[in-house]
Amino acid sequence: MVLRGARQALQVERRPLPQPGAGQVRLRVRACAVCRTDLHLQDGDLPMARWPVVPGHEVVGTVDALGAATTGLRLGQRVGVPWLGGACGQCRYCLAGQENLCDAPQFTGCTRDGGFATHIVADASFCVPLDHLALDDASAAPLLCAGLIGWRSLRLAGDDARVLGLYGFGAAAHLIAQVALAQGRRVHAFTRPGDTAAQQHARALGCTWAGDADQPAPEPLDAAILFAPAGELVPLALRAVRKGGRVVCGGIHMSDIPSFPYALLWQERQLLSVANLTRADAREFFAALQALPPLRIHTTPYPLQAAQQAMDDLRAGRFQGAAVLLAE
């Protein structure tokens, strides 16, 4: 399923099987979740995008071909392919362990073809082994971005953030809320005004409170994580956090932040952004899952050729959790 340019619909295209190069693998795609970043790609919000491109960066598949000199993975192995598909390894950020800020990155489904397809070629060193993950392919797929970005956002919120607010309760929030609750935190969910289905979903997962994003928080928050790409939520979240609290913006794109009084930021409140992820994030996250209760992952399946419908349904908020394309 191909995007030929910004603001165009996905189109079906048949191609020869891609061949992996040195250090690469080819995967037979089993499932690929649909991310809000895919909407930003389609809308032309990502200036680094390559056209045409196959979207999709929450990929679960099995290795069916190895490129020359490829090590670390084996034929038939189940692996995941996340958003960060490659890094230069030489810039100041890579050398400092911040490959998420690499000066010359590759992004799956954006600067290189992604998982809205039956097959994908990926750099072996950026694939995530999923051998020991006790989840089916469709349930595992959202972990490759929604889970990982949620994990990085939670880490930036801080271990001392015992009262947490999540703004936007979709794929990422419904996963990381469960992680935070398992860590003994209190979680408050803020949704689009009137989205009672998302609020009920949050309460069913154990959130202490769920309500409209424009409502006051029921208690001062230690930290807030914004998953909704709405800049107008930033002042609301700053107002909700206590002195010294943090607001973490978890998306790759957000609408403009409106002006707000300095008093909302004063008293050492912090406003942070999350950019991409690292392979270390993936190792830590999937290791942490082994020690946590099993996640309840809410997915809505679509056949691969219904990818545009899945994108439209995500945009309209027609389901809870994550949409997942099944390539078989």
Side-chain angles (χ1 to χ4, degrees), residues 3-294:
L3 280 178
R4 299 194 179 281
R7 293 172 291 281
Q8 295 190 24
L10 286 161
Q11 299 179 23
V12 179
E13 186 174 297
R14 295 192 178 276
R15 300 177 177 176
L17 278 180
Q19 298 303 314
Q24 296 183 326
V25 293
R26 185 179 70 212
L27 306 183
R28 178 70 170 89
V29 177
R30 301 301 180 190
C32 184
V34 182
C35 179
R36 189 161 293 277
T37 300
D38 298 317
L39 300 185
H40 295 311
L41 174 72
Q42 187 172 47
D43 291 345
D45 296 330
L46 307 183
M48 67 288 204
R50 183 207 77 187
W51 308 108
V53 70
V54 177
H57 56 273
E58 299 178 286
V59 189
V60 175
T62 52
V63 178
D64 79 345
L66 300 170
T70 298
T71 59
L73 298 178
R74 65 183 186 278
L75 291 173
Q77 185 174 7
R78 185 170 78 144
V79 302
V81 184
W83 169 249
L84 186 65
C88 73
Q90 300 175 348
C91 69
R92 62 179 294 181
Y93 300 105
C94 286
L95 294 175
Q98 297 174 292
E99 64 186 11
N100 60 307
L101 303 179
C102 175
D103 286 334
Q106 290 290 319
F107 296 125
T108 308
C110 180
T111 66
R112 63 194 302 172
D113 285 339
F116 286 16
T118 59
H119 296 79
I120 181 177
V121 166
D123 289 359
S125 62
F126 282 82
C127 291
V128 181
L130 300 177
D131 308 70
H132 303 298
L133 185 66
L135 290 169
D136 61 47
D137 297 332
S139 298
L143 300 180
L144 273 300
C145 184
L148 285 171
I149 289 298
W151 176 255
R152 188 172 181 87
S153 299
L154 185 62
R155 286 177 51 228
L156 284 181
D159 292 338
D160 58 341
R162 309 314 297 171
V163 182
L164 185 69
L166 302 180
Y167 285 76
F169 204 81
H174 98 283
L175 295 174
I176 213 61
Q178 296 176 66
V179 175
L181 289 163
Q183 293 174 339
R185 309 181 198 232
R186 287 199 306 282
V187 179
H188 302 298
F190 298 81
T191 74
R192 281 182 290 192
D195 191 349
T196 56
Q199 292 166 18
Q200 290 172 351
H201 188 205
R203 294 189 198 100
L205 291 175
C207 291
T208 303
W209 176 92
D212 295 350
D214 55 5
Q215 290 182 265
E219 61 179 316
L221 306 177
D222 295 326
I225 302 174
L226 274 59
F227 292 115
E232 63 269 21
L233 293 176
V234 170
L236 295 177
L238 284 169
R239 192 184 304 277
V241 298
R242 61 167 174 78
K243 294 181 286 187
R246 295 182 178 128
V247 173
V248 180
C249 300
I252 192 173
H253 176 83
M254 179 180 281
S255 61
D256 289 349
I257 300 172
S259 63
F260 56 85
Y262 174 64
L264 294 184
L265 186 63
W266 188 56
Q267 295 178 315
E268 300 193 353
R269 294 175 179 87
Q270 299 176 55
L271 180 60
L272 307 170
S273 70
V274 171
N276 314 314
L277 52 97
T278 68
R279 286 173 286 183
D281 291 329
R283 289 191 294 270
E284 291 173 6
F285 177 56
F286 284 100
L289 291 182
Q290 302 298 315
L292 295 176

